[in-house]
Amino acid sequence: MQIGMIGLGRMGANMVWRLAAAGHHSVAYARHAETVNAVLREGVTGASSLEDLVAKLETPRVLWLMVPAGAVDSTLDILKPLLSPGDIIIDGGNSHYHDDIRRSAQLKEQQLHYVDVGTSGGTHGLTRGYCLMIGGEPDVVKHLEPIFSTLAPGHDAATPTPGRDKPGSSAEQGFLHCGPNGAGHFVKMVHNGIEYGIMAAYAEGLNILRHANIGKQEQEVDAETTPLRHPEHYQYDLDLGEISELWRRGSVISSWLLDLTADALLKDPHLDAYAGRVSDSGEGRWTIAAAIDEGVPVPVLSNALFERFSSRGNAEFAGKVLSAMRAGFGGHAEKPHKTGNA
């Protein structure tokens, strides 16, 4: 199939290369010409503008947007006058599913089709493939299956669940039509909320292991410090890289995220290259908002999101308020911050 790819960042470029390797043809566009030139190869043609991209596509056109959620509407505003009835627009970024519902209704008035595709796989998707969560009209999604099946990891990415009897299910290939417009990004939204929780669990557990030698350290004795009653219980100098490598083999908590953690600790045992400031791109917030609307408790996912806020210094003022209150009612002076493994 032929497809127009708009956005050639960390995932878009790898996606056109994966498609090209399977015989599909992509017309690729990004704002900077050097970005476009960098992806050109057999099966990938460059475009100098959105107008040029649309002109190079055969009708009915298929255009895949791989741009930040905040740039989708402005991109659509340029594209809509250039398109013809029957053309298909795919949003493969991390848009809010509310926006998908609105956009699909607006585009339908112009007889254009809209498909939302939650895409997971990150920068490793070129070789591993992408897990695709899809929302849209059934016949349109069916038409796009050659694209989805190429981008997806395929049957060999995982062994089938024992006892599963759904022959021909696309889920076993790594892509799934989840429902009408918005369903794909809704499923991806919750997927990313879960991701926040899993990442936080690894981080917190490894932090406990890192401080398991606190009993070897000199303990402060003053009114402001809770005493460590049994320092003999914390005499372990643990190798986190080796433990992460161990857990990758036969452990019930093994995962690709653990693989990446082990790789990071191998290259940088103390993770000195990182400041610990963790961003969030919106999906965790939206997941919690949906849980509130549904009346579903999500304490783990909520805490994981709030911890990301704290990592960016957004809890600093709250800490100052606490210190001010302690100083006010008990005359408690602040102790200086400690860094490192102390």
Side-chain angles (χ1 to χ4, degrees):
M1 289 184 70
Q2 186 192 47
I3 187 170
M5 180 66 71
I6 302 170
L8 303 172
R10 288 171 293 180
M11 295 175 69
N14 284 342
M15 292 171 76
V16 296
W17 289 338
R18 186 173 175 89
L19 289 168
H24 299 286
H25 179 256
S26 297
V27 180
Y29 169 74
R31 289 180 298 171
H32 302 293
E34 58 269 25
T35 304
V36 176
N37 292 334
V39 305
L40 299 182
R41 61 178 61 181
E42 185 176 355
V44 184
T45 301
S48 59
S49 65
L50 290 176
E51 291 82 358
D52 184 37
L53 179 139
V54 170
K56 288 178 176 177
L57 292 173
E58 302 169 359
T59 57
R61 303 176 183 90
V62 177
L63 300 96
W64 189 303
L65 276 63
M66 211 63 189
V67 300
V72 174
D73 282 327
S74 59
T75 304
L76 289 177
D77 287 342
I78 299 172
L79 284 174
K80 284 187 290 187
L82 307 174
L83 300 180
S84 306
D87 288 349
I88 302 169
I89 297 174
I90 303 167
D91 179 4
N94 280 325
S95 289
H96 195 307
Y97 75 99
H98 291 184
D99 292 328
D100 295 322
I101 296 170
R102 169 180 56 81
R103 290 169 186 151
S104 63
Q106 292 172 342
L107 292 170
K108 189 175 182 180
E109 295 176 359
Q110 197 176 324
Q111 300 180 57
L112 300 173
H113 303 288
Y114 181 86
V115 178
D116 52 283
V117 180
T119 307
S120 182
T123 58
H124 297 262
L126 175 60
T127 54
R128 290 172 57 97
Y130 302 89
C131 178
L132 305 174
M133 296 146 266
I134 306 164
E137 304 159 85
D139 56 336
V140 175
V141 173
K142 184 70 175 177
H143 173 72
L144 297 170
E145 278 196 6
I147 295 293
F148 297 144
S149 62
T150 297
L151 290 174
H155 285 284
D156 294 339
T159 57
T161 300
R164 178 180 167 85
D165 185 22
K166 290 193 175 183
S169 170
S170 66
E172 295 180 7
Q173 298 181 52
F175 70 95
L176 181 67
H177 181 207
C178 300
N181 284 119
H185 278 148
F186 187 90
V187 174
K188 178 56 161 47
M189 173 187 78
V190 177
H191 164 285
N192 282 21
I194 293 170
E195 180 183 296
Y196 284 22
I198 295 172
M199 292 171 69
Y202 281 129
E204 292 177 11
L206 288 168
N207 202 25
I208 294 172
L209 295 176
R210 183 172 185 264
H211 290 85
N213 64 354
I214 191 173
K216 293 184 175 183
Q217 300 167 16
E218 183 178 350
Q219 302 299 309
E220 297 185 55
V221 180
D222 56 49
E224 301 301 315
T225 306
T226 302
L228 181 63
R229 295 187 179 276
H230 294 284
E232 69 275 15
H233 292 171
Y234 300 96
Q235 298 287 319
Y236 307 116
D237 294 306
L238 300 173
D239 188 325
L240 303 189
E242 288 295 282
I243 291 169
S244 297
E245 191 66 26
L246 168 70
W247 285 349
R248 294 181 61 225
R249 291 164 171 78
S251 165
V252 296
I253 62 168
S254 59
S255 72
W256 185 37
L257 287 172
L258 182 60
D259 295 345
L260 297 174
T261 302
D263 181 65
L265 289 168
L266 175 65
K267 296 174 179 175
D268 185 1
H270 299 293
L271 302 182
D272 292 327
Y274 301 93
R277 186 189 190 281
V278 187
S279 299
D280 74 286
S281 53
E283 301 82 33
R285 305 182 190 209
W286 305 335
T287 299
I288 293 167
I292 292 171
D293 286 344
E294 296 173 4
V296 175
V298 286
V300 172
L301 306 190
S302 299
N303 189 66
L305 175 65
F306 294 148
E307 181 58 32
R308 292 193 176 200
F309 296 167
S310 295
S311 78
R312 305 200 290 267
N314 293 344
E316 185 175 349
F317 184 74
K320 290 181 178 181
V321 173
L322 292 172
S323 288
M325 288 189 287
R326 292 188 78 245
F329 69 68
H332 301 281
E334 281 191 323
K335 297 175 71 69
H337 281 290
K338 291 184 177 180
T339 58
N341 200 31

